[in-house]
Amino acid sequence: MKSVRIDLDQKLLDDAAAIMGTSTSHATVNEALRRIVVHERQLHHLEKLAANAFFDLPEPEAVIVDR
């Protein structure tokens, strides 16, 4: 695994760790990256499903209302 030195906002890192239940900076950063990747993949798949959903819908029938 590649080692990278970066400066992080400690408050933001602490808040993220509390939310994710991680106990080290390493675990917090890796979990945050994993969640971003999962989220973006899910969003991409949902967008594809939504785009294809409209092609599978039957044509609406005309509604005649008696007055």
Side-chain angles (χ1 to χ4, degrees):
M1 195 179 317
K2 183 178 180 180
S3 179
V4 178
R5 179 171 159 54
I6 57 174
D7 293 322
L8 299 173
D9 178 326
Q10 190 62 49
K11 172 79 169 101
L12 190 57
L13 185 64
D14 292 343
D15 290 347
I19 290 168
M20 294 186 285
T22 52
S23 58
T24 66
S25 297
H26 181 265
T28 302
V29 170
N30 281 322
E31 179 63 13
L33 292 172
R34 187 194 68 76
R35 288 185 186 198
I36 289 168
V37 170
V38 167
H39 171 80
E40 290 300 318
R41 285 179 181 161
Q42 288 174 337
L43 183 60
H44 175 74
H45 290 298
L46 285 172
E47 288 171 345
K48 283 176 61 176
L49 282 171
N52 292 332
F54 293 109
F55 293 112
D56 295 337
L57 293 176
E59 288 293 319
E61 296 180 19
V63 177
I64 300 172
V65 178
D66 284 337
R67 289 186 182 208

